[in-house]
Amino acid sequence: MNIRSASGRVVAVTIFLLSALLVGSVAASCSLIANSRFNLERQKAWLGSEPVSLRQGWQYRWGDDVAWAREPADAPGWTSFSFPGQAPGRNGRESLWLSFPLPSKSIEDPTLFFLAMDSNFEVWIDGARQFAFGDLNGPRRSEFRGYPWFLVPLPPGAEGKTVFLRVQSTHDNIGPYGEVFVGSRAAQVARIVRTDVPKFTIGSVFAIAGLGLLFLYARRRQERMYFGFALVCITLGLYLVCRTSLKQLFLFAPVPWFVAELVCFFFLPLGVSQFTDVIFGRNALTWATRVASLYAVIALLAAATGVVTLTDTLFPFQILFILCILVFIWEVVKRLGRDDLDPKVLAVGFLCLGISGVHDVLLAMGFMASSVEMSHWGLLGVVGSMSAITVRRFADVYLRMEATTRDLAVKSGDLEQRNGDLVRMSEELGRVAVKLGDRLNTPLEVMLLASEEIEDHVEERFKGLEDAELRKEIAHLFEVFRRSTETIRTELKSLQPFKKYAPQNSVDEDLSLPSFESRVSTPPK
């Protein structure tokens, strides 16, 4: 009964926390969306439209000559290319100049938005530097600074002019990542909030739900599936939060955000393995994720000691991650034909992830007109399928626990009944012990005393008997009589412990026989 009530409290607290989390997340989402819509109304009054994507008129030039920022846009040496995308013909070079024109329409508080930049860069307009990130000339030019987004303020009257970007990178990529937007600062922030609210909300829900599952696992350590699901929710939730631009509005820490994103990505397969081990048992995915986790630990230690950079550790793990995904798909597919619901539920969740992932890949390749990512909704489908499996298994365990509790109650009733029978038997045995003791104790004492006196009297009476053998035999008979009496007395003493079980009236009851002392007070003649 205690187990049942404790489990009920754990379930109630967990459901309350998750419900409060869900309501709070929905309220926060509505608030942020309302705020973004308010900003849209403000930007319509200032700009008349949302931020404009700058896709036309991009040119590049390999090298590092500051004088190029003071040349006209049509100066020789500049080559056009398609943007978004990388400038061609890098050939290992680390310095690049880019240029693009601004719209001629007037914008209040004009601001450029860069989603990310590889890696150090400067913004020049009219031969003057307007913004700089990182050290392009000093000894720290190769230092990794993370992947933040940037809001670069433009000077008054910048509309219609050409923006020059001086970029330096030792990474595989160089220059802006994704699209570049121009608009008012308020409109840029509103677009960031509006774009990232779903992903940020889903990630936050995952992370806090994972903490609730850890609380549940702390109360039920034998349920290893709770730990695996908690690890999946926490790593996946923090990973989604780290992948948003919204996080930078709360904390500007590019390198810590990137490290957190990398750690979550590295240990996500371990959580999936801990979860599926309970469902499928030890399988090939177990060993694949262990190899990936071992690599993750070694890679993070190597990056922390400066042997390699953080970005160098990413590509090998991506290969291991793809291997884990293929092994996982194989383990699920080969169980689909069995009479087991769990693999089918997981398959539905990962099908949602696959569809949303294909959508985002096509979006990144430019084949989709929409600019809204969908993979976080696919991840919501995966976590939803894992939640369904966890709830079903928890319900099974709870029902089995209920059945066990009822069975224990029945057995406890049987034991109580048998215990009552034993108590009644003990009382009867105690009553018998009292009666025997009271009835036989005094006669035995008399018999022992009589046997001694008779033995002395016989010895005195038959002292002159000439037949020694007869005298010896008579003495032996009286000795046997005395010892038998003592044996009976010893056996009666073994019943003494049972007297405590006898009812009080049995102990107080006068069951003694008349004393025989008067009969043996004088020796027989």
Side-chain angles (χ1 to χ4, degrees):
M1 299 297 290
N2 292 334
I3 295 176
R4 181 180 177 181
S5 60
S7 299
R9 286 195 298 270
V10 171
V11 174
V13 171
T14 304
I15 292 176
F16 172 77
L17 290 176
L18 295 181
S19 301
L21 169 64
L22 181 60
V23 172
S25 300
V26 172
S29 301
C30 293
S31 175
L32 289 173
I33 292 173
N35 185 43
S36 66
R37 288 181 176 176
F38 173 73
N39 284 332
L40 281 176
E41 295 298 326
R42 293 177 60 188
Q43 77 185 55
K44 286 181 180 178
W46 295 339
L47 183 60
S49 62
E50 295 189 24
V52 178
S53 176
L54 302 176
R55 290 174 172 263
Q56 305 298 324
W58 282 76
Q59 300 183 93
Y60 73 94
R61 192 170 184 175
W62 292 105
D64 191 18
D65 191 346
V66 180
W68 294 343
R70 301 181 178 89
E71 294 180 351
D74 56 353
W78 292 91
T79 305
S80 300
F81 74 105
S82 178
F83 185 83
Q86 291 287 300
R90 182 177 183 181
N91 297 326
R93 286 175 284 196
E94 298 181 356
S95 298
L96 172 68
W97 279 84
L98 300 171
S99 68
F100 58 91
L102 292 173
S104 57
K105 190 174 183 178
S106 177
I107 302 174
E108 183 176 348
D109 192 16
T111 306
L112 287 174
F113 173 78
F114 297 97
L115 180 61
M117 183 74 72
D118 284 319
S119 56
N120 301 329
F121 73 104
E122 296 174 347
V123 177
W124 293 71
I125 297 178
D126 288 339
R129 188 174 64 180
Q130 306 294 327
F131 183 85
F133 177 76
D135 186 3
L136 278 73
N137 303 310
R140 301 178 62 185
R141 61 196 308 262
S142 299
E143 181 180 347
F144 177 69
R145 298 177 181 272
Y147 296 107
W149 51 265
F150 302 93
L151 288 177
V152 178
L154 299 177
E159 57 271 8
K161 295 185 178 180
T162 300
V163 176
F164 292 89
L165 299 180
R166 180 191 177 194
V167 187
Q168 180 273 328
S169 175
T170 59
H171 304 159
D172 294 335
N173 298 323
I174 186 170
Y177 173 79
E179 294 186 88
V180 177
F181 291 89
V182 63
S184 66
R185 188 178 186 88
Q188 300 279 26
V189 173
R191 190 189 62 83
I192 292 171
V193 172
R194 186 174 62 256
T195 302
D196 285 344
V197 158
K199 188 186 300 184
F200 189 88
T201 303
I202 292 173
S204 301
V205 169
F206 285 176
I208 303 179
L211 295 178
L213 287 166
L214 277 182
F215 169 76
L216 194 61
Y217 171 71
R219 299 297 300 270
R220 296 182 60 84
R221 290 293 185 89
Q222 69 275 17
E223 299 293 344
R224 193 160 55 94
M225 185 173 63
Y226 294 158
F227 174 74
F229 194 17
L231 187 57
V232 169
C233 288
I234 292 174
T235 55
L236 198 56
L238 293 179
Y239 178 77
L240 286 177
V241 170
C242 292
R243 294 287 294 176
T244 64
S245 298
L246 195 59
K247 67 181 186 297
Q248 195 169 312
L249 295 177
F250 302 102
L251 177 64
F252 182 77
V255 175
W257 280 120
F258 180 75
V259 173
E261 176 185 339
L262 207 61
V263 170
C264 292
F265 181 54
F266 278 179
F267 291 101
L268 175 60
L270 180 62
V272 176
S273 174
Q274 292 289 315
F275 183 85
T276 55
D277 280 357
V278 179
I279 301 175
F280 301 151
R282 293 293 175 89
N283 52 72
L285 180 63
T286 305
W287 303 108
T289 53
R290 285 183 177 180
V291 172
S293 301
L294 179 62
Y295 169 81
V297 173
I298 295 175
L300 291 174
L301 290 176
T305 54
V307 177
V308 296
T309 63
L310 281 173
T311 54
D312 292 336
T313 65
L314 187 57
F315 180 73
F317 185 81
Q318 289 173 334
I319 301 299
L320 292 174
F321 189 79
I322 293 174
L323 176 63
C324 291
I325 292 176
L326 294 176
V327 173
F328 174 79
I329 293 174
W330 166 248
E331 292 293 339
V332 172
V333 168
K334 74 180 184 180
R335 290 174 172 82
L336 288 178
R338 303 178 185 177
D339 189 16
D340 189 359
L341 184 61
D342 292 343
K344 298 178 178 63
V345 175
L346 277 178
V348 171
F350 276 86
L351 179 62
C352 296
L353 179 60
I355 293 173
S356 61
V358 170
H359 172 274
D360 287 359
V361 170
L362 294 177
L363 180 65
M365 296 175 64
F367 291 103
M368 302 289 291
S370 173
S371 60
V372 179
E373 294 182 352
M374 301 294 295
S375 58
H376 51 281
W377 295 110
L379 292 173
L380 181 61
V382 172
V383 173
S385 65
M386 298 175 73
S387 300
I389 294 172
T390 303
V391 170
R392 188 185 70 81
R393 287 181 170 257
F394 180 83
D396 290 343
V397 171
Y398 191 74
L399 291 176
R400 287 198 300 268
M401 187 176 64
E402 288 275 341
T404 303
T405 303
R406 289 193 296 269
D407 186 50
L408 287 175
V410 172
K411 292 181 178 179
S412 177
D414 293 341
L415 289 175
E416 289 179 0
Q417 182 178 357
R418 294 182 181 182
N419 183 59
D421 295 340
L422 289 174
V423 169
R424 287 190 292 274
M425 292 175 62
S426 300
E427 290 178 354
E428 290 296 330
L429 188 57
R431 186 179 291 109
V432 170
V434 170
K435 289 181 178 181
L436 287 176
D438 289 343
R439 290 180 179 274
L440 298 180
N441 189 48
T442 300
L444 285 174
E445 292 290 341
V446 172
M447 291 169 66
L448 284 174
L449 179 61
S451 65
E452 293 176 359
E453 293 183 358
I454 291 172
E455 185 178 4
D456 294 339
H457 182 70
V458 168
E459 185 177 358
E460 181 72 22
R461 183 71 177 271
F462 296 101
K463 183 183 299 183
L465 189 63
E466 296 180 356
D467 191 349
E469 292 296 330
L470 179 60
R471 188 172 63 251
K472 184 177 181 182
E473 184 176 353
I474 293 173
H476 175 70
L477 289 174
F478 280 101
E479 177 67 18
V480 170
F481 172 75
R482 185 178 62 81
R483 290 183 179 180
S484 299
T485 305
E486 289 181 348
T487 300
I488 295 173
R489 184 183 183 186
T490 303
E491 294 298 329
L492 284 175
K493 286 183 178 180
S494 65
L495 294 176
Q496 293 298 319
F498 292 98
K499 286 187 178 182
K500 64 181 180 180
Y501 298 106
Q504 187 64 31
N505 56 359
S506 298
V507 177
D508 296 337
E509 186 180 1
D510 185 12
L511 298 176
S512 60
L513 296 176
S515 175
F516 294 151
E517 293 180 359
S518 59
R519 300 182 184 183
V520 295
S521 57
T522 58
K525 296 182 181 180

